[in-house]
Amino acid sequence: SCLCGSAPCLLCGCCPSAKNSTISRLLFTFFLFLGTLVSIIMIIPGVEKELHKLPGFCEGSGSVLGVQTNVDCSSFLGHKAVYRMGFAMAAFFCLFAVLMVCVRSSKDPRAALQNGFWFFKFLALVGITVGAFYIPDGAFTSVWFYFGVVGSFLFILIQLVLLIDFAHSWSQRWLHNAEQGSAKGWYAALCTVTFLFYAASIAAVVLLYVYYTKPEGCTEGKAFISINLILCLIVSVVSILPKIQEAQPHSGLLQASLITLYTIYVTWAALANVPSKPDLPGLGGGMAGAGALTAGVSVPLCPWGLTRVLRSSDHPQVNKLMLTEESGAGAGAGAGPGGAEEGGEHRAYDNEQDGVSYNYTFFHLCLLLAALYIMMTLTNWYRPDESLQVLSSPWTAVWVKICSSWAGLLLYLWTLVAPLLLPDRDFS
């Protein structure tokens, strides 16, 4: 009954008083990580050899724009498998995003699909995955590459908004604690964390100049590192200007240091994708090796973004943008006296009878974009060339990451200057 019933039934024994909304989000996220694990297995060299046995998946299997080809694709079988796994996960979450449009409470019949029938959801994901591996080769990989680029860029933008929100919330909470309790201790913690972030950023910049630039070349690397370093210095100075401090007393170097560290990280991720640079670290080692190198650092950002999606923000403006409730609407709905307790035993309960605590459709869209981001990361943003003989890391990946770093800096700068430019609006 738990496999076909509601979400609380699954974990009511080990998670007493768990909320229906929380368990559902955790289980859907588990589906995403399960698909990610399968994708990682697909790029293991030993597994790649077994993919030859799939009919129509490799040699002599397809055509490009109607032209028949006879291609030995053994060099990027894992790449193609990850793309199909990413397609399956994206299709799965897209289906639920469409099905959950305009669901307002758990009383809607469609809410049962969101919070229950987990066994059948798993079967559906497995079925879509199996079907994805029988998609005719043709131009699928080339076309799906661009879907992955767009989806990854959107996911990075969502992460940027949540990162900036987290930075402001962190600073406000610690400053509030300093006002309420031991001021010296909290201010010391603020200074220590800020110093560590800036120290890590400076060390990373030095390493970038050492390993990703050369006196006689690497013009792109020099430009990207220098531009982002200058922009980070600008936002750091702006964050402590007297007028900014007057308009936003909680703004400071803690937020700027975190944004700076993230910007330097994204700059490194972009430089690692610069094509035709075999002398640079992380390049020229084949798809599997390069993919593993980038995946080891980039994928952890995905759980970061998803963790913030799983909960409401401390700022109403962010909740409005992310289509979530300001304080978890319906958090106590349906619980009532005894709603979480029956016969003296704590039980999981439905907390969304009066209103959903998060937007179902937006949640699935975030998982869809996360699946595309993971797909591009595991393949190191590689794609076959026109002859389908070799893989190349295109400039598209570089510009997506560099532009995302600039977008993050601009968003953070806007949060600093907006109260001055729009004094009639409430930015508290």
Side-chain angles (χ1 to χ4, degrees):
S1 61
C2 281
L3 294 178
C4 304
S6 62
C9 182
L10 286 173
L11 299 178
C12 60
C14 59
C15 296
S17 299
K19 297 177 181 179
N20 189 63
S21 60
T22 301
I23 296 176
S24 294
R25 283 180 281 184
L26 288 174
L27 289 174
F28 273 115
T29 306
F30 172 76
F31 279 5
L32 174 66
F33 285 113
L34 185 63
T36 302
L37 178 62
V38 174
S39 298
I40 293 174
I41 294 174
M42 290 294 184
I43 60 176
I44 297 176
V47 176
E48 287 189 72
K49 296 179 181 179
E50 298 298 319
L51 296 177
H52 275 285
K53 299 177 181 179
L54 287 177
F57 191 60
C58 189
E59 189 169 353
S61 62
S63 61
V64 180
L65 300 179
V67 179
Q68 292 295 326
T69 60
N70 186 18
V71 178
D72 180 11
C73 61
S74 58
S75 61
F76 55 93
L77 270 176
H79 168 275
K80 296 172 69 176
V82 172
Y83 267 50
R84 280 161 171 76
M85 191 65 221
F87 173 82
M89 290 192 294
F92 177 78
F93 292 121
C94 181
L95 173 64
F96 276 91
V98 173
L99 291 175
M100 296 298 122
V101 172
C102 296
V103 174
R104 303 299 183 189
S105 73
S106 61
K107 296 178 181 178
D108 191 308
R110 292 175 294 166
L113 294 175
Q114 174 75 6
N115 300 316
F117 301 99
W118 296 101
F119 177 70
F120 296 103
K121 289 175 184 175
F122 179 75
L123 289 183
L125 179 58
V126 171
I128 295 174
T129 301
V130 173
F133 277 83
Y134 286 90
I135 296 175
D137 195 14
F140 170 78
T141 303
S142 299
V143 173
W144 191 241
F145 168 82
Y146 291 103
F147 278 91
V149 169
V150 175
S152 298
F153 182 72
L154 294 176
F155 183 72
I156 292 173
L157 287 182
I158 292 175
Q159 285 193 110
L160 288 169
V161 173
L162 297 176
L163 179 66
I164 294 170
D165 168 57
F166 170 74
H168 283 296
S169 299
W170 186 1
S171 178
Q172 289 179 12
R173 193 164 295 143
W174 279 21
L175 289 174
H176 176 74
N177 292 340
E179 295 172 357
Q180 299 297 322
S182 176
K184 291 184 178 179
W186 286 107
Y187 284 127
L190 272 171
C191 294
T192 301
V193 173
T194 301
F195 172 79
L196 291 176
F197 282 166
Y198 274 123
S201 300
I202 294 172
V205 169
V206 172
L207 292 175
L208 289 179
Y209 275 117
V210 170
Y211 290 104
Y212 286 89
T213 64
K214 287 188 174 182
E216 67 278 4
C218 298
T219 306
E220 303 90 352
K222 295 175 183 176
F224 291 149
I225 298 171
S226 301
I227 291 173
N228 281 0
L229 178 59
I230 294 172
L231 292 176
C232 288
L233 290 174
I234 292 174
V235 297
S236 297
V237 172
V238 171
S239 66
I240 56 175
L241 290 177
K243 288 188 177 181
I244 299 295
Q245 290 286 313
E246 182 180 349
Q248 292 199 73
H250 293 105
S251 68
L253 290 177
L254 176 63
Q255 301 98 307
S257 65
L258 180 58
I259 300 301
T260 297
L261 185 61
Y262 177 80
T263 300
I264 300 304
Y265 160 76
V266 175
T267 305
W268 170 80
L271 293 176
N273 282 104
V274 173
S276 303
K277 299 290 183 182
D279 57 313
L280 296 182
L283 297 180
M287 187 279 294
L293 172 67
T294 305
V297 182
S298 296
V299 170
L301 282 181
C302 176
W304 149 259
L306 291 178
T307 300
R308 296 293 293 176
V309 170
L310 289 175
R311 59 177 290 273
S312 296
S313 168
D314 295 329
H315 295 92
Q317 292 90 344
V318 176
N319 285 316
K320 184 177 180 180
L321 176 64
M322 294 301 169
L323 303 178
T324 56
E325 299 295 335
E326 293 183 7
S327 302
E341 189 173 331
E342 295 179 3
E345 296 181 1
H346 289 283
R347 305 283 292 185
Y349 62 94
D350 179 6
N351 65 317
E352 298 184 304
Q353 292 185 11
D354 292 340
V356 296
S357 60
Y358 64 102
N359 185 287
Y360 291 172
T361 294
F362 181 77
F363 174 71
H364 288 295
L365 288 177
C366 286
L367 294 180
L368 186 159
L369 297 177
L372 295 176
Y373 176 79
I374 292 171
M375 177 188 76
M376 299 304 296
T377 300
L378 289 177
T379 57
N380 205 31
W381 298 70
Y382 275 41
R383 66 174 178 181
D385 65 359
E386 288 74 8
S387 62
L388 298 180
Q389 298 296 329
V390 297
L391 290 169
S392 61
S393 182
W395 275 101
T396 307
V398 179
W399 284 110
V400 165
K401 295 178 180 180
I402 287 296
C403 290
S404 70
S405 69
W406 294 341
L409 291 169
L410 290 176
L411 282 172
Y412 174 63
L413 185 61
W414 172 250
T415 64
L416 296 177
V417 302
L420 295 178
L421 299 179
L422 303 171
D424 295 333
R425 294 188 59 181
D426 180 20
F427 289 94
S428 59

